[in-house]
Amino acid sequence: MPGPGNVGERVRNLRLTRRLSQAQLAGHDLSDSYISLIESGKRTPTPTVLRMLAERLGCTPEYLAEGVEPEQRAHLEVRERHAHLALLDGDPVGAEAAFEEVLARSDDPDLTSRARWGRARALEELGRTEAAIALFEELREQAERDPGRTSWLPPVIALARCYHAVGDLGQAIALGERALARLQHLGLTVGQEHTEAGRILLLAYVDRADPDRAHALGRRLLASDDTDDQLSTHYRRASSRALEEGAVGDSLYLAEQALAVRGGAPVQAQARLNLAAARALLRGVTPFTADGVPEPERAAAAEALDLLRATSVLEGAEATESTIERARALVLVGEPEQAISSLEDFLETGLALAAPVHAPPAPEAGAELAARVRKTVQARLVLARARIAQEDRTAALVVLNSAGGQMKDLPPSRPAAHIYRELGELFEAAGETDGAANAYRQALEAVGLRPSRPQAAARDLGRV
């Protein structure tokens, strides 16, 4: 455990434990009044004085300065790194516990900051997004207070992602736009940070029903020249520009990124962007690669299929989403049979509701299950869309009723409202007006609204 309090308190506690007076501790080199000032926190000892006091008190200078012995520090640093590895290996439960241990036992600012970041990421992975937001906000405030030590970019991008996940589109867009503006100011229009901030912003524009801004952003993002041999150079130049401005924290962070990508650009970041762009195209955004094409919806779906071919590296929920979006695109390009085949295989294997490798505690399990139920329902909605394209309304209604039954287990939320709205549209397309009206009503209730009178099936809920 770290020593109590600050340097002065540790000096005083050890002096009393050793039964030394202030004068005895001061010896011939220091004055007892100087020792008193140190113990009261009014003076900070220099490294030379710290070594002198540590020798007389029988401890290490590191213990006096930070409250942790070198062996303890090494153990905690290893523990923190192992926690990050657990997070990368898909064990957010174990990672979160390890990060909490480090935070409880360390008062080293750098180690504590890294552990807080890791714990926030673990909480995000566990679906405890509100708790993750609180930690990311603390990290953002810390970076804004001390830009000479910490970069502002990672927590802002993480916050944009989390606010989008909880449906706060205004905050997600504001933070995403700020992050992109900062990156562009530094001349960094490639790399993982630019791709991730752009991906989140693109999805937020789509969810806010702003197709024009989504289209313009998507074209810029997909046109980025993110080649392996140039990426480290881009990071290095951005780091130099940040240093010239005095933003040392940003400069250090970008220099570390330049070193990290010397072996090649991370392919997953681009795959995630491709998935977001495909999702935008399948929700009404016009094609990114050409303007004024005939049959823009079909052209957008064909472009989405091209983008989704580069998403095979994705895993977990993102791989599931890629499968669903590919089937949605296949329906739009006139190949409902292929869509039905892939979705039926997907649903029969139980992938959408498979148990996690590391079963989390009950609260996390609830969030995990809700996310997987949403994915299963989305798959069924696309399957129903394919059946309607085949003019098999009976089969479509069977699937839609099954999807509606599953939706009853989901808590009210904006994502649930989006799904209910699509469910209503498909019930309408299948000729089931009562089911459509009920789905539209549930869409309103999912965002906290209560209709004052029965809702007609043709309500425009495009901005739910």
Side-chain angles (χ1 to χ4, degrees):
M1 294 295 290
N6 54 33
V7 176
E9 290 174 346
R10 285 189 284 273
V11 169
R12 182 178 184 277
N13 289 338
L14 282 174
R15 178 178 63 77
L16 294 175
T17 300
R18 306 292 190 267
R19 297 183 179 181
L20 298 172
S21 67
Q22 290 181 340
Q24 288 171 321
L25 179 58
H28 299 295
D29 311 283
L30 307 169
S31 67
D32 54 351
S33 62
Y34 183 54
I35 297 297
S36 177
L37 290 171
I38 291 174
E39 290 185 356
S40 65
K42 296 177 181 177
R43 291 289 187 277
T44 300
T46 65
T48 300
V49 171
L50 207 61
R51 287 193 296 272
M52 188 184 302
L53 294 176
E55 183 177 346
R56 294 171 186 176
L57 291 169
C59 67
T60 63
E62 289 84 0
Y63 177 79
L64 286 184
E66 299 165 6
V68 179
E69 294 287 3
E71 295 81 3
Q72 290 177 294
R73 174 187 295 283
H75 173 80
L76 290 174
E77 287 181 349
V78 170
R79 185 73 168 136
E80 184 260 344
R81 283 161 176 74
H82 284 180
H84 280 291
L85 289 171
L87 189 58
L88 291 172
D89 288 340
D91 182 12
V93 176
E96 201 254 339
F99 285 126
E100 275 197 298
E101 178 189 344
V102 174
L103 289 169
R105 297 178 59 190
S106 173
D107 61 357
D108 173 71
D110 291 335
L111 183 59
T112 298
S113 181
R114 294 199 303 269
R116 286 166 69 197
W117 170 264
R119 183 165 184 260
R121 286 287 296 114
L123 290 170
E124 184 184 357
E125 290 292 321
L126 290 168
R128 295 166 58 187
T129 314
E130 295 289 354
I133 286 173
L135 278 178
F136 283 133
E137 286 286 10
E138 291 177 10
L139 290 165
R140 176 173 70 154
E141 291 172 7
Q142 176 186 333
E144 289 173 344
R145 287 194 307 268
D146 190 6
R149 289 176 60 88
T150 310
S151 175
W152 170 88
L153 283 165
V156 166
I157 294 172
L159 280 168
R161 184 173 60 244
C162 288
Y163 279 121
H164 176 258
V166 298
D168 192 338
L169 300 181
Q171 278 280 55
I173 289 171
L175 291 168
E177 288 177 342
R178 286 182 65 192
L180 276 187
R182 175 62 177 159
L183 290 165
Q184 288 164 359
H185 173 73
L186 294 173
L188 189 63
T189 56
V190 295
Q192 187 168 350
E193 293 75 19
H194 186 268
T195 301
E196 179 67 357
R199 179 187 74 86
I200 297 161
L201 192 54
L202 177 61
L203 291 174
Y205 285 153
V206 171
D207 290 344
R208 200 177 65 174
D210 194 343
D212 292 338
R213 295 175 82 179
H215 173 78
L217 176 62
R219 291 194 74 157
R220 291 203 310 271
L221 293 171
L222 294 173
S224 293
D225 185 16
D226 194 358
T227 57
D228 292 359
D229 59 341
Q230 294 179 339
L231 189 52
S232 64
T233 302
H234 284 292
Y235 273 119
R236 187 174 70 249
R237 289 172 180 166
S239 175
S240 298
R241 180 171 294 184
L243 186 61
E244 290 170 2
E245 296 178 348
V248 180
D250 281 348
S251 182
L252 284 170
Y253 172 77
L254 294 169
E256 289 172 355
Q257 294 300 94
L259 290 170
V261 301
R262 287 297 292 269
V267 294
Q268 284 198 329
Q270 187 63 41
R272 290 189 181 106
L273 174 59
N274 281 13
L275 178 56
R279 180 178 169 184
L281 289 167
L282 296 172
R283 282 157 181 79
V285 175
T286 54
F288 299 122
T289 55
D291 292 321
V293 294
E295 299 185 38
E297 184 179 69
R298 188 183 182 95
E303 186 174 328
L305 284 173
D306 287 338
L307 289 167
L308 291 169
R309 290 190 182 96
T311 62
S312 59
V313 298
L314 298 178
E315 299 176 347
E318 291 173 324
T320 297
E321 186 176 351
S322 179
T323 298
I324 295 170
E325 297 303 330
R326 180 179 179 276
R328 190 186 300 275
L330 286 170
V331 174
L332 292 173
V333 298
E335 299 181 13
E337 295 81 7
Q338 286 193 43
I340 290 168
S341 176
S342 65
L343 287 171
E344 287 183 340
D345 288 344
F346 166 72
L347 290 167
E348 286 175 5
T349 59
L351 288 175
L353 293 175
V357 176
H358 303 276
E364 289 82 358
E368 182 84 9
L369 183 60
R372 287 174 174 168
V373 168
R374 283 197 298 271
K375 292 299 180 189
T376 305
V377 171
Q378 288 169 344
R380 288 201 163 102
L381 294 183
V382 178
L383 180 58
R385 195 177 292 276
R387 292 297 188 188
I388 291 170
Q390 291 182 321
E391 299 184 356
D392 190 346
R393 302 191 189 284
T394 301
L397 287 173
V398 170
V399 178
L400 290 173
N401 286 320
S402 175
Q406 273 193 297
M407 286 292 293
K408 295 176 183 177
D409 297 328
L410 291 179
S413 65
R414 190 169 291 273
H418 281 289
I419 296 174
Y420 274 124
R421 185 199 65 197
E422 185 176 359
L423 180 64
E425 292 170 353
L426 291 170
F427 267 125
E428 268 194 277
E432 180 55 55
T433 56
D434 289 342
N438 183 56
Y440 288 138
R441 175 182 57 79
Q442 289 173 310
L444 291 170
E445 292 177 355
V447 289
L449 300 176
R450 293 290 184 272
S452 58
R453 60 182 183 275
Q455 300 298 307
R459 292 289 176 196
D460 178 8
L461 299 177
R463 289 183 177 271
V464 170

